[in-house]
Amino acid sequence: MPARKKAKPKRKKAPARRPAARKKAAKKPAKRAPARRAVPKARRPAARPAARKPVAVSPATLPPPGQRIGVVTHYYSHLSVAVVKLESARLRVGDTIHIRGHTTDFEQRVDSIQVNHASVQEAGPGDDFGLKVREHAREHDVVYKVT
């Protein structure tokens, strides 16, 4: 039988040392600006009138494009489907709607309406339905029926 080797004693770890503190560089005094001479009023350049900035027209300030019929309650971006809650009127396949919100403003024809994953030809007041949209819609966007 071969001779066994003796087990080596475990080395103790040295305590963790803190990194050495860096010396702070001495601050240099700030340079003073040279004194300016006063320019007489007669030689001063004339003040330019302030340039007028173009006023951005937000969709909220424009008149509504038709009759308000509902509001977008949810938007599924991976499907481009908006869930709309109808408040008034009936909406049929083939009608033209306009969706307007803070950053949304587009018009499209209704190609299909789905209620509980089933295609239907029309939806009435109080219905929640899915609607395939061509642009991004957001929650609280208003849906108008274009007449």
Side-chain angles (χ1 to χ4, degrees):
M1 196 175 208
R4 283 189 167 178
K5 292 184 178 180
K6 277 190 173 180
K8 292 183 181 179
K10 287 187 178 179
R11 284 182 29 188
K12 289 188 179 180
K13 289 185 179 179
R17 286 190 274 169
R18 289 187 179 180
R22 292 185 181 178
K23 293 183 180 178
K24 292 184 180 177
K27 289 187 179 179
K28 294 180 181 176
K31 291 184 179 179
R32 296 182 108 199
R36 292 179 57 183
R37 292 184 302 160
V39 178
K41 277 191 174 184
R43 291 192 351 190
R44 286 187 190 163
R48 292 184 181 165
R52 290 188 149 207
K53 294 182 181 177
V55 178
V57 178
S58 70
T61 60
L62 297 173
Q67 176 192 4
R68 178 185 168 134
I69 60 169
V71 176
V72 175
T73 58
H74 194 74
Y75 178 71
Y76 295 98
S77 59
H78 59 288
L79 299 171
S80 295
V81 170
V83 177
V84 178
K85 171 86 171 174
L86 272 184
E87 297 168 347
S88 62
R90 298 190 83 66
L91 186 67
R92 293 181 176 84
V93 173
D95 289 345
T96 303
I97 60 169
H98 190 109
I99 298 178
R100 182 183 283 174
H102 183 66
T103 58
T104 311
D105 194 12
F106 67 94
E107 194 171 294
Q108 79 168 44
R109 188 172 161 270
V110 177
D111 296 326
S112 68
I113 299 174
Q114 285 193 355
V115 177
N116 294 329
H117 302 289
S119 292
V120 293
Q121 290 298 309
E122 70 175 291
D127 286 347
D128 285 324
F129 63 90
L131 175 70
K132 184 86 169 169
V133 290
R134 64 176 187 166
E135 290 185 30
H136 189 88
R138 289 158 184 84
E139 291 182 10
H140 310 294
D141 285 355
V142 180
V143 179
Y144 296 95
K145 185 175 182 180
V146 178
T147 52

